[in-house]
Amino acid sequence: MSPTQWDFPVELCCRPMAFVTLTGLDVVYNAVHRAVWDAFCANRRADRVPISFKVLPGDHEYPKCRPKRTSYEWYIPKGILKTGWMNKHLNLVPALVVVFYELDWDEPQWKEKQSECATRVEIVRQSLQGRNTKVAVVLIQKKTPLPPGEDVIASERAAALCNACELSGKSLFVLPHTDHLVGYIIRLENAFYEHAQTYYYTEIRRVKSHKEFLNKTTHQLLFVRHQFKIAFFSELKQDTQNALKNYRTAYNLVHELRAHETNILEIKTMAGFINYKICRLCFQHNTPLDAIAQFRKHVDLCKKKIGSAELSFEHAAWMAKQFQAFGDLFDEAIKLGLTAIQTQNPGFYYQQAAYYAQERKQLAKTLCSHEASVMYPNPDPLETQTGLLDFYGQRSWRQGILSFDLSDPEKEKVGILAIQLKERSVVHSEIIITLLSNAVAQFKKYKCPRMKSHLMVQMGEEYYYAKDYTKALNTICWSTHFQSLRKPQIWLTVKIPVKLFQLLDYVLCDYRSEGWWSLLTSILTTALKCSYLMAQLKDYVTYSLELLGRASTLKDDQKSRIEKNLINVLMNESPDPEPDCDILAVKTAQKLWADRVSLAGSNVFTIGVQDFVPFVQCKAKFHAPSFHVDVPVHFDIYLKADCPHPIRFSKLCVSFNNQEYNQFCVIEEASKASEVLENLTQGKMCLVPGKTRKFLFKFVAKTEDVGKKIEITSVDLVLGSETGRCVVLNWQGGGGDAASSQEALQASRSFKRRPKLPASELHWDSIVIQASTMIISRVPNISVHLRHDPPALTNEMYCLVVTVQSHEKTEIRDVKLTAGLKPGQDANLTQKTQVTLRGTELCDESYPALLTDIPVGDLRPGEQLEKMLYVRCGTVGSRMFLVYVSYLINTTIEEKEIVCKCHKDETVTIETVFPFDVAVKFVSTKFEHLERVYADIPFLLMTDLLSASPWALTIVSSELQLAPSMTAVDQLESQLDKVVLQTGESASECFCLRCPSVGNVEGGVATGHYIISWKRTSAMENIPVISTVITLPHVIVENIPLHVNADLPSFGRVRESLPVRYHLQNKTNLVQDVEVSVEPSDAFMFSGLKQIRLRILPGTEQEMLYNFYPLMAGYQQLPSLNINLLRFPNFTNQLLRRFIPTSIFVKPQGRLMDDTSIAAA
Amino acid sequence: MAVCVAVIAKENYPLYIRSVPTENELKFHYMVHTSLDVVDEKISAMGKALVDQRELYLGLLYPTEDYKVYGYVTNSRVKFVMVVDSSNTALRDNEIRSMFRKLHSSYTDVMCNPFYNPGDCIQSRAFDSMVTSMMIQVC
């Protein structure tokens, strides 16, 4: 038997297709025939009809047909299905034989050719004697045929040929050898396909016709056989629905057979075949649920049909195959577009197949453990004459015997022994691993990571067993006919170590991270065994570390055994073997370990422990989150062992991100210089289980590290000695391992009271890792004061007095001052702020906003110094100013002199405000508000300066700088010199200006600038005066055609003559006709021209003189002057009123004067 | 009656797991652990449903040849997994449901114990005896 005896035969698994043979084709030497054959068989796509073609010679002998049985009465079948039957109908017995023959209709030697063709057909018919196989003739012709009916000769000769060959007209075809060969071929094969279907139909009818002769008692097997045949023929006919129906009937019939130990294998084999067909067709019909249901039914029916107990491994093998085959079918269906789900995918079937394969292995192990002296029986009972069985699922030593009684028990025994011995040579692990890896691939696809891990563990275990097995194989002397086994053996030995550890490491991580400790422990135990058996030192130590740890669920006795072994390993001795290991493997392992001991190689292993849960826990904790540079840095390392016995370590060292500190933080067994650790004795190098040990370290931080973070990058604990073996447990950062974060979380949630411990001991859970600390500079002992008068005024030199006083015990050196705008504020502020030390001159934009490192000198204890800073703020708003004083001081810590740099800073926020507000307005000479000024007519500019400063201001001077377009009417002298303004006070100035005529200017005419020079009244003499420039507003200038101004006294007196002179100026280039009239007034009498019309030349003026005589005292309306310009109707009296006074104050007649006048009179 | 009962924390580590003593304990541990794949998938599928409309009972997680694994998830994502012998056809969905409800209420009692720290393994005699009552009685 081959190792693949459980595999389904190929003919069962393939898709049955109609079998058609082609004869008369010489595909080797004839190019035309070759082309025809290629067109038939090459490139068959799914849309072509399902036919399998074969080229055979014309005189090929087809399998002989057995003579027809007329009665089944005396016939007793010997088995269910012959092994050759399916193959026979797939590949040997054709549904149709096609005879190809080169013959054109206009062949000159027609008669001869016709009879040759007839002979050929006859030969084929001869060899198909008794079969229903159809025969067809294809004439290969060189000429393209004419349309049917047109070629008279052709139809005549065709009829003659049919007659000669005894063919029906439907079986004669013409194949013109022209360009459209493939098209003709496709039409041909469709015709063939129809013939084939007819053939299979008759076959089905033929098989069905047998049925009526059968009886239920003796022909039970035939019922199954016939049903199977009908189904198979239906498949060949491509009638899958009927095939499925018939297979289902066949399946039920199989289970109706009387099962007995002798025929159970045959029944199961056939049931398996039929089940396979049913499932396959169900998937093909896209009814996967039917397939699954059928398979479940099949498994349930067959699960208990174990058969012979001595060969029960065969049942397991068979079950495994059922599941595997179904998995394959399922997978294939998925590849063709079926969608599977997480809980129903091929993986489960592969997994179950693997379980049965494992069961098979177990059973084989118990049933086939014959001693080496048991020889394989001779002659081999498994040999048959043909090398093949006659019927599927029968025993080779009693083929065709249907009796349930064993006729020859001795023969049976020998047969079973032979099967058992054969089973020993099966590499079960390979089968199992293949199935498991199939399942893994599926579960990976369907999002089952845990299932995948679980299967990978099983794979790992299987690899482990496989190794065992290989060892066993080596020691047992196998005869040469198992030579083939050598290959898998090599495969296993090479693959196991690497694969196994990779697999284990991969899954261990998953179980660890999810906290399934029971599963982790079980895997680790296997891994430890493996590493022991292979003497993998590092792995052995790693697994031991974790098995001793708190995550392990092992019992204490196991743990103490492992710990003892670990200690042995550390002392460079061999460990004791792990329990439950194969004795032979242990022997090999012991030898390996002995080699390891004698081998003087690298004996130091560094194991990074943060990814697993070792039996020593570590936590590092700095005493504070930051340390001043002038005090030593203290930190503790806490260690706790979880193993059952105390364990000694040889070294504990800590590494930092600045490696210079590493040397200060080492505890070593040999070191006598225990300066870093007080009261260190040898006994302290031992960890007692369950007790938290604390190790205090301290070191002096370097002054360069001020402002930096010091981090513990790793903690190394060395177990064992360098003379023996050395294991370095390496914790990254400040300790902690794969489980500690979850534990810390639980501990923080817990509010259970912890049992009281002696003061010296600590609760492990209460220790929080603090793996880094900051080194900060020494605390400064100076005071920095700022004196100033806020708020600052825009652009002034604002004085800031900095006072630094030293409170240090020793002299401080190199005192430096950094002062100015605090960095990190608005970028515009930096440009609008200047800082200087010299207040005597104004600073400009080139001055910086921050003065850095101004050396100030040294300070003796208690001494103080003062520094003045001047700040100029160009814009209003608040600013933060920084004053930063740094200095150096010598100090000693731990008898070491160091130079410390200290610094102190002060910040102050200063508001900047405008010193004063300036308001400007234009008024007419009559102090009336002006919206616009008139060309050449004087007007007044009034400035109003309102102090906004909380401090008194001195206006040093003010100046009006006129724009070229403006002229001053009189002297522009400042009227505000040396004026002191208190808060809220204001100072005003008035200037008389005139604007010459300009063209029409958009937006008005520039007036000029107003410059105010000022300083704080309190400022010192040498403080520069600040000039504030105010741009005066633009003014709109308008031209008028005529200007009138009046000369009149400031007041009049009742009954005294009041001379008034009006000047009329022509401002245009035209001669103007002017109508002037004066309206009478009640308060005045007057003399002069009451109404006149005159003409004024361009640029000249006309004078009008009036003598008013006031009649009433008080503020009186003057007789109004009306001017009418004939050319400028827009010039109204309204406008005129702006220039000339409309009223005058009239004083009453002076009595005193009267008296004197009277007296004089 | 169940052959294995397990309570799994939100973070998927076991809070409580007990199986019939006659069988290999490890096998059930693996079975419960692998069933979490399906639980995870089901939870993520119903993640969008409103909390109060959510069905806690997850139903049959997956069948094996010999056992059926059922799941249940509380609103705080604590999972209950129960393994039942496949041959035990007497157990209907409703019975399983009520067993889970019993388990849930007993678990709630455990949580109400002020001395129980959520996330710790369950060591409660009341819970133990309740689980025992649901397990197959082994003679």
Side-chain angles (χ1 to χ4, degrees):
Chain A
M1 272 189 271
S2 66
T4 58
Q5 66 150 324
W6 301 110
D7 286 344
F8 290 135
V10 191
E11 53 267 33
L12 182 76
C13 303
C14 68
R15 178 191 175 191
M17 288 193 286
F19 181 47
V20 172
T21 55
L22 312 178
T23 65
L25 284 179
D26 180 7
V27 296
V28 183
Y29 297 110
N30 191 322
V32 174
H33 292 188
R34 178 85 218 167
V36 170
W37 170 235
D38 280 347
F40 271 118
C41 65
N43 236 338
R44 285 196 76 87
R45 285 202 307 262
D47 55 346
R48 304 270 291 263
V49 286
I51 302 180
S52 83
F53 289 105
K54 206 179 218 176
V55 170
L56 288 175
D59 54 354
H60 177 79
E61 287 282 327
Y62 298 97
K64 282 275 174 302
C65 187
R66 224 139 345 114
K68 287 261 154 55
R69 208 180 297 279
T70 44
S71 155
Y72 277 86
E73 211 166 324
W74 298 106
Y75 175 68
I76 293 179
K78 290 181 171 164
I80 301 176
L81 187 66
K82 287 215 173 141
T83 49
W85 188 82
M86 281 189 284
N87 188 44
K88 189 168 85 180
H89 287 278
L90 283 171
N91 298 315
L92 300 176
V93 178
L96 173 73
V97 179
V98 185
V99 178
F100 283 86
Y101 191 70
E102 287 193 39
L103 182 62
D104 278 276
W105 294 129
D106 52 357
E107 173 64 40
Q109 294 165 311
W110 172 258
K111 277 271 179 246
E112 289 84 351
K113 288 275 179 186
Q114 179 180 314
S115 65
E116 192 192 333
C117 182
T119 321
R120 288 195 180 194
V121 172
E122 193 48 37
I123 291 170
V124 169
R125 286 233 171 85
Q126 282 295 324
S127 64
L128 288 168
Q129 193 93 65
R131 295 216 177 266
N132 297 324
T133 304
K134 309 269 175 203
V135 180
V137 172
V138 176
L139 300 180
I140 301 176
Q141 298 189 332
K142 292 187 188 73
K143 288 185 187 135
T144 322
L146 295 166
E150 284 183 25
D151 196 344
V152 187
I153 306 173
S155 44
E156 253 172 44
R157 288 190 166 177
L161 189 64
C162 281
N163 227 6
C165 300
E166 295 170 49
L167 278 174
S168 81
K170 281 185 184 169
S171 301
L172 178 66
F173 304 96
V174 171
L175 176 63
H177 181 61
T178 57
D179 295 341
H180 311 290
L181 185 63
V182 177
Y184 283 113
I185 294 289
I186 287 175
R187 280 168 63 184
L188 261 187
E189 69 183 22
N190 285 340
F192 293 170
Y193 181 62
E194 265 172 46
H195 281 291
Q197 287 208 317
T198 326
Y199 165 75
Y200 289 121
Y201 176 72
T202 48
E203 284 302 289
I204 292 167
R205 293 292 298 273
R206 190 175 58 80
V207 178
K208 273 186 183 164
S209 69
H210 298 328
K211 260 193 192 171
E212 53 199 278
F213 304 113
L214 306 182
N215 68 59
K216 286 255 172 187
T217 47
T218 47
H219 298 134
Q220 268 203 316
L221 297 180
L222 285 182
F223 277 110
V224 179
R225 185 193 293 173
H226 289 163
Q227 205 60 47
F228 183 86
K229 284 184 175 177
I230 292 168
F232 196 79
F233 281 130
S234 301
E235 261 196 292
L236 282 166
K237 201 181 154 224
Q238 307 304 323
D239 181 3
T240 52
Q241 293 294 354
N242 271 321
L244 181 60
K245 206 175 83 193
N246 286 305
Y247 278 130
R248 281 193 195 278
T249 323
Y251 187 81
N252 292 335
L253 288 170
V254 161
H255 282 291
E256 279 172 22
L257 293 177
R258 272 184 64 200
H260 191 262
E261 203 162 290
T262 50
N263 72 345
I264 193 98
L265 181 66
E266 188 176 5
I267 291 176
K268 276 195 301 188
T269 306
M270 276 319 290
F273 285 4
I274 301 169
N275 173 65
Y276 179 83
K277 279 290 190 191
I278 296 173
C279 294
R280 198 188 150 91
L281 288 172
C282 285
F283 276 122
Q284 203 178 312
H285 291 159
N286 206 13
T287 50
L289 292 179
D290 287 357
I292 292 167
Q294 161 64 26
F295 184 71
R296 288 246 58 89
K297 186 174 119 192
H298 174 58
V299 167
D300 289 342
L301 280 170
C302 298
K303 201 155 52 172
K304 295 287 182 288
K305 293 190 174 162
I306 296 165
S308 161
E310 288 154 299
L311 295 174
S312 53
F313 54 84
E314 281 193 332
H315 177 67
W318 181 82
M319 286 296 278
K321 183 63 211 175
Q322 301 303 307
F323 277 98
Q324 188 195 350
F326 189 75
D328 287 342
L329 278 179
F330 201 165
D331 193 32
E332 217 168 281
I334 288 164
K335 278 179 192 142
L336 291 173
L338 185 73
T339 43
I341 53 168
Q342 191 191 34
T343 50
Q344 190 59 259
N345 71 60
F348 286 102
Y349 298 96
Y350 288 127
Q351 185 193 15
Q352 201 58 40
Y355 288 160
Y356 276 110
Q358 277 166 340
E359 196 181 311
R360 175 189 183 183
K361 191 181 80 173
Q362 292 297 331
L363 290 168
K365 213 174 182 180
T366 49
L367 294 171
C368 310
S369 53
H370 302 278
E371 282 174 37
S373 60
V374 177
M375 287 309 290
Y376 191 78
N378 198 8
D380 190 345
L382 303 185
E383 285 285 309
T384 55
Q385 282 176 337
T386 52
L388 285 168
L389 289 168
D390 290 342
F391 288 94
Y392 285 117
Q394 292 193 341
R395 296 291 179 200
S396 52
W397 61 87
R398 46 174 168 79
Q399 289 197 70
I401 300 170
L402 294 177
S403 156
F404 291 162
D405 304 321
L406 295 173
S407 53
D408 191 348
E410 203 47 48
K411 213 172 174 186
E412 185 73 16
K413 234 183 237 172
V414 172
I416 289 172
L417 178 66
I419 293 174
Q420 287 175 339
L421 288 178
K422 280 245 162 139
E423 182 70 11
R424 275 213 303 219
S425 68
V426 174
V427 191
H428 291 110
S429 293
E430 191 184 341
I431 300 170
I432 297 167
I433 287 167
T434 313
L435 287 171
L436 284 173
S437 62
N438 278 352
V440 165
Q442 294 291 338
F443 284 118
K444 203 169 164 184
K445 228 191 288 179
Y446 296 101
K447 287 190 206 159
C448 301
R450 294 181 188 87
M451 184 63 99
K452 200 181 99 193
S453 297
H454 176 40
L455 293 172
M456 280 166 101
V457 169
Q458 289 183 321
M459 269 168 87
E461 281 170 354
E462 208 48 58
Y463 275 121
Y464 164 70
Y465 294 132
K467 185 183 164 70
D468 254 8
Y469 199 174
T470 1
K471 291 270 190 305
L473 273 180
N474 286 335
T475 48
I476 300 166
C477 224
W478 285 92
S479 52
T480 43
H481 81 255
F482 289 128
Q483 200 90 55
S484 60
L485 272 178
R486 291 276 180 261
K487 218 175 111 203
Q489 197 176 320
I490 293 161
W491 171 78
L492 287 169
T493 37
V494 173
K495 266 188 170 170
I496 292 157
V498 191
K499 275 241 172 172
L500 174 63
F501 288 117
Q502 277 175 355
L503 268 179
L504 288 177
D505 284 342
Y506 182 83
V507 294
L508 278 173
C509 190
D510 288 353
Y511 289 110
R512 210 179 276 128
S513 64
E514 287 209 318
W516 283 74
W517 305 129
S518 55
L519 303 181
L520 183 73
T521 308
S522 129
I523 300 164
L524 281 171
T525 313
T526 313
L528 185 69
K529 278 182 199 164
C530 276
S531 54
Y532 170 75
L533 290 176
M534 297 190 312
Q536 293 280 340
L537 206 53
K538 189 174 175 183
D539 294 315
Y540 185 82
V541 171
T542 314
Y543 298 135
S544 299
L545 287 177
E546 193 159 15
L547 276 173
L548 287 174
R550 60 198 190 285
S552 152
T553 55
L554 285 184
K555 296 270 186 312
D556 264 359
D557 56 331
Q558 286 294 313
K559 282 194 177 177
S560 65
R561 186 183 59 76
I562 291 169
E563 188 176 357
K564 212 177 90 205
N565 277 338
L566 181 64
I567 291 169
N568 276 345
V569 168
L570 292 177
M571 288 162 74
N572 210 6
E573 285 166 24
S574 297
D576 288 341
E578 291 298 309
D580 309 325
C581 281
D582 187 89
I583 303 158
L584 293 161
V586 167
K587 278 207 179 114
T588 330
Q590 277 166 338
K591 211 177 289 165
L592 279 172
W593 279 102
D595 291 348
R596 287 269 193 283
V597 170
S598 59
L599 209 76
S602 125
N603 273 335
V604 181
F605 307 102
T606 303
I607 298 171
V609 296
Q610 65 282 343
D611 295 330
F612 65 99
V613 191
F615 74 97
V616 184
Q617 297 183 69
C618 166
K619 283 182 182 180
K621 187 185 181 192
F622 279 105
H623 285 190
S626 63
F627 285 91
H628 290 292
V629 70
D630 58 337
V631 293
V633 177
H634 284 90
F635 70 93
D636 292 325
I637 296 286
Y638 298 91
L639 292 177
K640 186 181 159 210
D642 303 310
C643 51
H645 302 296
I647 187 133
R648 179 174 289 277
F649 64 92
S650 52
K651 193 175 169 187
L652 173 64
C653 51
V654 185
S655 311
F656 297 90
N657 54 347
N658 184 346
Q659 293 178 354
E660 283 181 55
Y661 302 127
N662 294 2
Q663 51 181 319
F664 304 116
C665 303
V666 178
I667 301 176
E668 240 174 319
E669 200 162 23
S671 83
K672 286 193 187 98
S674 54
E675 49 201 322
V676 282
L677 190 71
E678 303 103 311
N679 309 323
L680 179 75
T681 58
Q682 294 280 315
K684 295 239 166 180
M685 305 291 285
C686 197
L687 297 175
V688 180
K691 288 255 164 64
T692 302
R693 280 293 313 276
K694 177 169 109 171
F695 299 93
L696 174 75
F697 291 91
K698 66 176 174 183
F699 62 88
V700 177
K702 302 228 175 290
T703 46
E704 301 93 87
D705 278 346
V706 170
K708 288 183 190 154
K709 204 178 202 179
I710 294 188
E711 256 177 292
I712 295 179
T713 50
S714 69
V715 180
D716 289 341
L717 181 73
V718 183
L719 302 175
S721 61
E722 270 156 43
T723 52
R725 285 196 185 102
C726 216
V727 173
V728 183
L729 302 189
N730 172 270
W731 283 272
Q732 292 293 315
D737 48 45
S740 52
S741 59
Q742 174 67 17
E743 282 167 356
L745 182 69
Q746 278 305 106
S748 69
R749 276 190 202 158
S750 172
F751 39 82
K752 264 183 217 146
R753 214 177 66 183
R754 301 196 174 95
K756 255 205 149 85
L757 283 180
S760 59
E761 287 185 38
L762 270 163
H763 274 289
W764 184 256
D765 289 340
S766 63
I767 304 161
V768 179
I769 294 176
Q770 162 98 48
S772 65
T773 191
M774 282 289 288
I775 299 301
I776 50 177
S777 56
R778 185 178 168 277
V779 181
N781 204 0
I782 56 167
S783 57
V784 177
H785 286 292
L786 299 178
R787 202 149 41 77
H788 59 119
D789 299 323
L793 305 176
T794 317
N795 282 332
E796 78 164 330
M797 298 297 280
Y798 185 67
C799 182
L800 202 64
V801 183
V802 181
T803 314
V804 179
Q805 185 171 18
S806 162
H807 305 295
E808 296 282 3
K809 302 246 174 348
T810 53
E811 186 185 31
I812 63 174
R813 293 178 288 118
D814 211 6
V815 182
K816 280 180 184 160
L817 182 71
T818 296
L821 194 69
K822 193 175 179 176
Q825 299 182 75
D826 191 351
N828 290 337
L829 285 182
T830 319
Q831 287 173 4
K832 292 289 180 192
T833 311
Q834 289 89 37
V835 181
T836 178
L837 287 176
R838 282 180 301 169
T840 50
E841 54 192 77
L842 271 175
C843 42
D844 54 35
E845 305 262 306
S846 65
Y847 281 68
L850 181 71
L851 292 173
T852 51
D853 290 335
I854 311 156
V856 185
D858 302 348
L859 274 181
R860 279 193 294 284
E863 206 175 2
Q864 85 167 44
L865 65 82
E866 220 177 56
K867 199 85 189 163
M868 297 236 253
L869 286 171
Y870 292 91
V871 180
R872 185 164 185 241
C873 304
T875 51
V876 293
S878 65
R879 289 169 170 76
M880 293 240 284
F881 287 91
L882 171 77
V883 176
Y884 174 96
V885 182
S886 68
Y887 62 93
L888 297 179
I889 185 163
N890 289 17
T891 174
T892 51
I893 79 163
E894 305 272 307
E895 285 111 38
K896 240 172 90 181
E897 180 139 328
I898 57 164
V899 179
C900 290
K901 195 174 179 195
C902 302
H903 62 84
K904 179 149 186 159
D905 52 25
E906 286 282 326
T907 50
V908 62
T909 305
I910 297 173
E911 197 76 30
T912 306
V913 296
F914 283 121
F916 41 72
D917 294 325
V918 179
V920 179
K921 59 185 180 196
F922 297 98
V923 291
S924 68
T925 43
K926 287 169 72 185
F927 290 99
E928 280 173 353
H929 179 72
L930 278 183
E931 299 246 308
R932 54 196 65 187
V933 300
Y934 298 97
D936 266 341
I937 298 163
F939 61 91
L940 296 178
L941 173 78
M942 287 193 62
T943 63
D944 205 9
L945 205 110
L946 174 69
S947 166
S949 147
W951 310 99
L953 294 180
T954 302
I955 308 296
V956 178
S957 72
S958 68
E959 190 192 346
L960 186 70
Q961 282 183 347
L962 285 179
S965 54
M966 291 283 169
T967 50
V969 175
D970 54 0
Q971 292 296 314
L972 294 178
E973 271 169 27
S974 170
Q975 295 140 333
L976 296 179
D977 281 3
K978 306 287 181 305
V979 168
V980 174
L981 286 179
Q982 298 297 333
T983 313
E985 289 181 344
S986 69
S988 295
E989 276 189 284
C990 184
F991 303 98
C992 188
L993 304 175
R994 191 192 356 226
C995 180
S997 167
V998 285
N1000 196 8
V1001 183
E1002 189 72 30
V1005 175
T1007 315
H1009 299 281
Y1010 184 48
I1011 300 160
I1012 306 149
S1013 303
W1014 58 276
K1015 63 197 278 188
R1016 284 192 190 213
T1017 313
S1018 58
M1020 280 175 289
E1021 210 44 47
N1022 54 358
I1023 300 292
V1025 169
I1026 306 112
S1027 295
T1028 303
V1029 178
I1030 286 150
T1031 306
L1032 296 172
H1034 285 213
V1035 69
I1036 298 165
V1037 181
E1038 213 169 77
N1039 288 316
I1040 45 167
L1042 184 83
H1043 180 235
V1044 182
N1045 62 339
D1047 268 351
L1048 81 168
S1050 50
F1051 62 88
R1053 207 181 277 273
V1054 176
R1055 273 185 243 132
E1056 262 180 39
S1057 154
L1058 182 71
V1060 175
R1061 197 186 299 260
Y1062 290 106
H1063 300 274
L1064 278 69
Q1065 284 175 320
N1066 183 359
K1067 295 278 183 190
T1068 60
N1069 297 329
L1070 305 167
V1071 177
Q1072 295 212 38
D1073 287 319
V1074 183
E1075 278 180 7
V1076 181
S1077 63
V1078 177
E1079 279 179 26
S1081 164
D1082 288 348
F1084 291 94
M1085 294 194 298
F1086 68 92
S1087 67
L1089 298 167
K1090 192 173 180 225
Q1091 187 164 20
I1092 188 173
R1093 191 179 174 140
L1094 48 91
R1095 193 168 275 186
I1096 307 172
L1097 293 177
T1100 58
E1101 72 171 49
Q1102 187 73 44
E1103 215 175 71
M1104 307 276 290
L1105 185 69
Y1106 290 92
N1107 227 341
F1108 291 154
Y1109 189 74
L1111 300 175
M1112 282 182 262
Y1115 210 63
Q1116 298 297 348
Q1117 284 260 298
L1118 284 169
S1120 62
L1121 179 75
N1122 292 334
I1123 295 172
N1124 195 9
L1125 297 185
L1126 295 178
R1127 282 176 188 272
F1128 295 90
N1130 285 342
F1131 187 86
T1132 59
N1133 287 326
Q1134 215 71 34
L1135 194 61
L1136 190 68
R1137 302 271 180 275
R1138 286 180 185 265
F1139 310 127
I1140 53 173
T1142 51
S1143 50
I1144 193 164
F1145 190 72
V1146 179
K1147 290 185 178 178
Q1149 253 178 334
R1151 205 163 283 282
L1152 201 73
M1153 240 171 70
D1154 273 3
D1155 286 350
T1156 48
S1157 66
I1158 291 166
Chain B
M1 296 277 107
V3 288
C4 176
V5 172
V7 181
I8 315 293
K10 181 171 173 266
E11 295 85 1
N12 285 342
Y13 64 88
L15 292 174
Y16 182 92
I17 182 159
R18 213 167 99 208
S19 51
V20 282
T22 44
E23 305 245 13
N24 181 6
E25 200 185 4
L26 208 60
K27 182 175 80 179
F28 289 114
H29 283 214
Y30 273 120
M31 206 179 286
V32 171
H33 184 246
T34 48
S35 73
L36 292 179
D37 284 334
V38 188
V39 173
D40 274 2
E41 199 62 21
K42 291 203 176 200
I43 289 175
S44 69
M46 70 181 186
K48 282 151 208 145
L50 288 170
V51 177
D52 43 343
Q53 290 170 1
R54 193 181 289 153
E55 167 75 283
L56 302 179
Y57 177 59
L58 298 177
L60 180 66
L61 297 181
Y62 69 90
T64 65
E65 264 322 90
D66 310 312
Y67 300 101
K68 283 177 179 161
V69 187
Y70 292 91
Y72 185 93
V73 63
T74 70
N75 281 324
S76 55
R77 294 283 151 90
V78 172
K79 295 121 191 158
F80 301 133
V81 175
M82 197 146 44
V83 184
V84 175
D85 205 307
S86 278
S87 58
N88 193 343
T89 47
L91 275 177
R92 299 256 161 242
D93 222 35
N94 261 343
E95 276 97 75
I96 301 282
R97 235 177 244 265
S98 75
M99 276 161 86
F100 271 127
R101 266 198 289 275
K102 242 166 83 184
L103 202 61
H104 193 173
S105 74
S106 188
Y107 172 74
T108 316
D109 291 344
V110 171
M111 288 296 287
C112 291
N113 177 359
F115 298 103
Y116 174 74
N117 187 21
D120 279 352
C121 289
I122 297 172
Q123 285 161 325
S124 151
R125 221 178 305 152
F127 192 77
D128 250 353
S129 62
M130 196 277 311
V131 170
T132 311
S133 75
M134 295 201 313
M135 303 264 280
I136 282 182
Q137 299 304 309
V138 184
C139 309

